[in-house]
Amino acid sequence: MPQARVQPVANLKEYFKDALHAALVNQHLSVEGETEHYVVNLLTLFARSEALFDPTPEGLRLKPLVVLLSEAMEAHTRDQRNRGLQRLGDVSLFIAGFFVQGFARKLIDIDYHIAMGGRAYGTLAETLSGGMCAHRRGRVLALVFAELAEKFQMMVDALNELSDSAYTHSDRDILRLYELWLKTGSRRSFRLLERLGIEPMARGACGAGHAPGMRPH
């Protein structure tokens, strides 16, 4: 297993800014400047493990998404609920973006993170865009969360590219990539399959003698 190359970084936020922008360009994903800025700040924050994980007697642990959702729904105030939904969306995006290899045998988990994160951001956008929260900052954040909800899978693809920079895909990844593309529509997985010599097809479109849904070039 190849070791990741360690590169010194003087400013972590600037590194994430440049790296994310390059990944977005590579993935042909266009987002508003405020959305890109939000994700850069999120990556910089979660680069510190204590910001992502919660302390327990056994050490730092990641709260299950269902617990984060329950805490948000049971919050006593609107602000607490909004913070809980934001935390749920942020954690879902970061985990799906940077721990995709950990889902190798648990494909449903990445679907779960994408669904939970997208819905959390979407609900937050609706809340912030109306009522007493409709001040300028609330409207800007509402647009950011609405875009993240709409483009959650594509943003995950961009973050996957950042996390995969030291990882070389091989033939062993073909079925995993195909399943990921089939279930989530990941454009990045589609391109990686093509790079590995596989033409992804929808189910039922394959010819005899080939694995379902895949055709060698």
Side-chain angles (χ1 to χ4, degrees):
M1 180 175 177
Q3 292 187 346
R5 291 171 294 177
V6 178
Q7 299 179 358
V9 177
N11 186 307
L12 190 59
K13 187 171 183 178
E14 285 301 312
Y15 165 75
F16 280 129
K17 179 181 177 182
D18 294 341
L20 178 63
H21 185 75
L24 292 173
V25 171
N26 236 16
Q27 296 298 321
H28 308 288
L29 175 57
S30 176
V31 298
E32 296 295 332
E34 290 86 355
T35 302
E36 190 170 339
H37 180 70
Y38 180 89
V39 176
V40 168
N41 285 338
L42 171 65
L43 300 181
T44 306
L45 174 66
F46 282 164
R48 298 183 293 108
S49 60
E50 64 270 20
L52 178 63
F53 298 96
D54 294 285
T56 73
E58 293 76 33
L60 291 176
R61 293 289 186 271
L62 188 65
K63 281 186 179 179
L65 299 190
V66 67
V67 173
L68 294 178
L69 177 61
S70 176
E71 290 176 348
M73 294 298 99
E74 295 173 4
H76 296 296
T77 68
R78 181 195 293 264
D79 285 345
Q80 289 176 344
R81 180 175 182 268
N82 289 347
R83 284 196 297 271
L85 289 172
Q86 183 177 359
R87 172 77 175 174
L88 174 57
D90 290 348
V91 170
S92 299
L93 180 61
F94 187 81
I95 295 298
F98 279 86
F99 293 90
V100 67
Q101 298 304 328
F103 292 130
R105 298 190 180 276
K106 301 178 181 178
L107 187 62
I108 190 172
D109 281 357
I110 195 168
D111 283 356
Y112 179 61
H113 280 71
I114 290 170
M116 291 282 276
R119 289 193 194 112
Y121 281 145
T123 302
L124 193 53
E126 291 176 6
T127 301
L128 293 175
S129 62
M132 304 208 30
C133 292
H135 48 74
R136 185 180 182 281
R137 183 173 180 273
R139 289 195 299 270
V140 171
L141 284 173
L143 292 174
V144 167
F145 293 132
E147 185 166 40
L148 287 173
E150 178 187 355
K151 301 176 180 178
F152 199 95
Q153 169 59 62
M154 292 178 281
M155 184 61 75
V156 166
D157 275 352
L159 298 185
N160 286 167
E161 182 169 318
L162 266 67
S163 68
D164 260 3
S165 57
Y167 178 81
T168 302
H169 288 275
S170 68
D171 289 347
R172 291 177 300 175
D173 299 303
I174 289 177
L175 287 177
R176 163 66 185 162
L177 288 168
Y178 169 69
E179 290 174 359
L180 188 61
W181 167 74
L182 193 64
K183 294 198 73 172
T184 68
S186 166
R187 293 184 297 186
R188 179 173 178 275
S189 296
F190 185 94
R191 287 194 289 270
L192 287 172
L193 283 168
E194 289 190 315
R195 196 178 304 167
L196 290 168
I198 297 296
E199 180 183 349
M201 297 182 296
R203 290 193 188 277
C206 57
H210 300 313
M214 295 186 288
R215 180 173 64 206
H217 284 315

